[in-house]
Amino acid sequence: GVAAGEREDASGDALEELSVMEPALAELVDLHFFCGYTFAGIAAARGVSERTVQREWRKARLLLHHAMR
């Protein structure tokens, strides 16, 4: 299998790649996954609907998944 350190390196590289391609999506991942903000909290801070944040979250996850392949 893949060692945990290698998996963390891959996810870090993927997030860095996302931050270059889609900075707002990378910020969303950081706020939600690493900082623990809710989608509702992120939506309020950005002045958008929670549904918009959920849609962006799905897009970010898809892009990260493809970048880590």
Side-chain angles (χ1 to χ4, degrees):
V2 177
E6 291 176 25
R7 202 168 32 245
E8 288 172 11
D9 287 348
S11 62
D13 291 346
L15 190 55
E16 190 172 319
E17 188 176 320
L18 182 64
S19 71
V20 171
M21 295 177 0
E22 299 273 359
L25 294 182
E27 180 188 59
L28 171 60
V29 171
D30 189 44
L31 290 172
H32 182 67
F33 190 76
F34 296 107
C35 298
Y37 284 86
T38 63
F39 291 145
I42 296 167
R46 289 186 168 182
V48 298
S49 71
E50 189 172 347
R51 187 163 167 79
T52 295
V53 173
Q54 290 171 341
R55 202 169 27 253
E56 291 173 345
W57 176 254
R58 285 193 300 273
K59 181 179 178 182
R61 284 184 50 196
L62 185 68
L63 290 171
L64 287 171
H65 177 75
H66 284 291
M68 289 175 57
R69 294 176 104 187

